Amino acid sequence: MNTQLVLASVGEMLQLQHWFSSTEQQQSWGGDNFDYPCTELRFLQLLCRPGTQSYSLLDSDNNTVLGFGQVCDRFGCHHLARLVIHPQQRSKGLAKTLISELIIQALNQQYRNISLYVHRHNNIALQCYASLGFEISPPPEAESPRLHFMTLAADDAIAGVNRYLQQQS
């Protein structure tokens, strides 16, 4: 499958709303402030935070959205947020593609560590992030009993991205 990461359009962001079928799913992905269900306008307001770049992972052959993620400046790191793969496209390695492409975007802007939060119960995501070199770290703010804070050192991120790029060629 040919993929490409692009800045997310409004239409692509609105598609995400249909990827969640419960309050728990949507809030686990987007945060506790996400209403479910909510209007398209409210969804976009919650999703589009200042200083945050939103990206879509597209299937280049048919221009369909396979995944979504955001990059922002948080805790002195490039912080990845709201990572999701289309429900019908999961278990195909696309999360690693999405994260690797987001890391490339982030490191092209500035050399620094990468961070993210993940729900403690989300074993699939925890395994994915660990396989990319992320490690559970002390949180930079009040610890949540529901979340792990994970970090990836910039040098390790570059090494991982280089491995990813070699696999792509």
Side-chain angles (χ1 to χ4, degrees), residues 5 8 13 16 29-30 34 43-56 67-73 78-84 98-99 102-103 105-106 114-116:
L5 190 75
M13 289 188 271
L16 302 176
W29 165 75
F34 260 84
F43 187 84
L44 289 173
Q45 287 171 336
L46 293 167
L47 189 58
C48 298
R49 298 189 306 212
T52 300
Q53 290 289 331
S54 296
Y55 294 93
S56 294
F68 176 86
Q70 295 179 317
V71 179
C72 60
D73 179 15
H78 293 295
H79 189 76
L80 306 184
R82 297 184 173 147
L83 305 169
V84 64
L98 173 66
I99 294 163
L102 289 170
I103 289 171
Q105 288 294 323
I114 313 292
S115 66
L116 56 81

Side-chain angles (χ1 to χ4, degrees), residues 67-110:
F68 176 86
Q70 295 179 317
V71 179
C72 60
D73 179 15
R74 197 167 178 202
F75 317 119
C77 298
H78 293 295
H79 189 76
L80 306 184
R82 297 184 173 147
L83 305 169
V84 64
I85 298 298
H86 188 288
Q88 294 176 343
Q89 300 296 328
R90 294 181 182 156
S91 301
K92 297 180 180 180
L94 291 170
K96 289 180 181 180
T97 300
L98 173 66
I99 294 163
S100 296
E101 292 288 344
L102 289 170
I103 289 171
I104 290 168
Q105 288 294 323
L107 291 176
N108 278 337
Q109 295 171 25
Q110 186 178 6

